[in-house]
Amino acid sequence: MAQEFFLGIKLGVTGASAIGAALGSVQSSLKGLADAARRLQSEQDRLGEAIRRHMGTLAPQTIAALNRDYERLGHTLDAVRVKQEKLSRAMQRCQHRW
C-alpha cells in the first residue's frame, strides 16, 4: 500500500513537472509571437508613413507596390495575432485543468 502511494506521488510530480515545462514552452512561444507582432506593426507603421510622405512624388506603380506590401504586412500581422490568441486560450484552458 505504501509503495502504491509513493508511486502515485512520484507519477503526479513527474506529470506536474512535464505540464510545467509545456506551459513554459507555450509562454515562450507567446512571447515570441508578441515580439513578432510588435516588429511587424512597427514595419507596417514605417511603411505607411513612407507611403504618405511620398504619395505625390512616386510613380503610381511604385505606390501600388508599396500598398501591396503594406497590405501583405497587415495580413501577416493579423495571422500572428490570431495564432497568439489561440495559443493564449489553449494555455488558459490547460492552466484551469491543473
Side-chain angles (χ1 to χ4, degrees):
M1 179 76 167
Q3 287 177 334
E4 291 172 3
F5 175 73
F6 288 118
L7 179 60
I9 290 175
K10 183 173 182 169
L11 289 174
V13 168
T14 302
S17 175
I19 290 168
L23 288 176
S25 177
V26 170
Q27 287 173 332
S28 178
S29 295
L30 276 171
K31 183 183 178 324
L33 286 171
D35 291 344
R38 276 192 296 279
R39 285 191 308 273
L40 286 168
Q41 184 65 61
S42 177
E43 184 63 28
Q44 190 183 36
D45 292 345
R46 280 195 304 271
L47 183 55
E49 181 56 34
I51 291 169
R52 284 187 289 282
R53 251 191 346 262
H54 300 291
M55 189 64 99
T57 62
L58 295 175
Q61 305 91 316
T62 304
I63 292 292
L66 289 172
N67 278 328
R68 282 191 299 275
D69 288 345
Y70 183 85
E71 290 294 321
R72 214 172 297 135
L73 274 171
H75 293 301
T76 303
L77 183 57
D78 290 344
V80 167
R81 287 181 177 153
V82 166
K83 287 180 183 183
Q84 198 177 10
E85 289 168 4
K86 285 181 181 179
L87 193 54
S88 181
R89 283 193 303 270
M91 189 173 130
Q92 287 173 353
R93 283 192 305 271
C94 187
Q95 286 176 331
H96 288 318
R97 287 185 198 159
W98 302 100

